[in-house]
Amino acid sequence: QVRLVESGGGSVQPGGSLRLSCSISESTTSNYFMAWFRQTPGIGREGIAAINTDDKRAYADSVQGRFTISLDNAKATLYLEMNSLKPDDSGMYYCAVTFFPFRVNGPSLSASLYNDWGQGTQVTVSS
C-alpha cells in the first residue's frame, strides 16, 4: 500500500498563500493520477486539483487560477500552491494517488478513482 504524508497546512488570513506537500512512498514514474481533495462539513470531499503522468492538470472551478498542482518526481512529492486564499478554501486537505498498469486519459477529480489517501492537513482561512 502506498503511504502518503501531507504537510504545510495552517492558519492564514484571506488573500494569503500556503503550499501543501505530500510525500509519496513509491516511485512516481509509472502511470498515475495524483490529486488534492478538500473536505468540509456539509459539502463533503471535493476534488480540487489533479495531475497525471503526462503532466495534464485539472482544477475545480472554485480554485482555477489561484491554485497550482505540481509533482517533483525526484523527491516523490506532490505539491499544492494556494494563492489568494478565501475563507471558503478552509477545510481538511488530502492528497490521493492511484497507479495504473497502462496509460489512462485524465486526470480526474473523482474521489472514487483514487486508491490511496493521506491523513490530511488542516487549512484555515480567516481574519
Side-chain angles (χ1 to χ4, degrees):
Q1 185 173 355
V2 180
R3 183 168 178 262
L4 307 173
V5 180
E6 300 98 335
S7 61
S11 295
V12 64
Q13 292 186 340
S17 299
L18 283 174
R19 187 176 79 157
L20 305 183
S21 300
C22 173
S23 64
I24 305 165
S25 64
E26 287 195 7
S27 169
T28 58
T29 57
S30 59
N31 300 305
Y32 56 79
F33 289 171
M34 298 186 184
W36 288 95
F37 290 82
R38 177 172 68 207
Q39 184 153 358
T40 53
I43 296 178
R45 189 169 293 191
E46 59 177 329
I48 296 300
I51 190 169
N52 74 349
T53 313
D54 298 322
D55 204 31
K56 291 183 179 178
R57 304 171 191 195
Y59 295 95
D61 290 344
S62 60
V63 306
Q64 182 76 47
R66 299 187 297 121
F67 290 12
T68 302
I69 188 171
S70 62
L71 174 67
D72 186 328
N73 282 303
K75 297 181 179 179
T77 301
L78 183 70
Y79 298 100
L80 184 67
E81 187 76 37
M82 305 186 295
N83 298 312
S84 302
L85 283 162
K86 306 174 182 179
D88 285 349
D89 294 321
S90 298
M92 186 69 78
Y93 282 71
Y94 298 88
C95 64
V97 303
T98 193
F99 292 97
F100 303 99
F102 43 78
R103 270 295 204 270
V104 178
N105 287 332
S108 173
L109 294 174
S110 175
S112 63
L113 292 177
Y114 291 85
N115 297 326
D116 297 290
W117 295 78
Q119 295 301 305
T121 185
Q122 179 69 38
V123 172
T124 302
V125 185
S126 71
S127 53

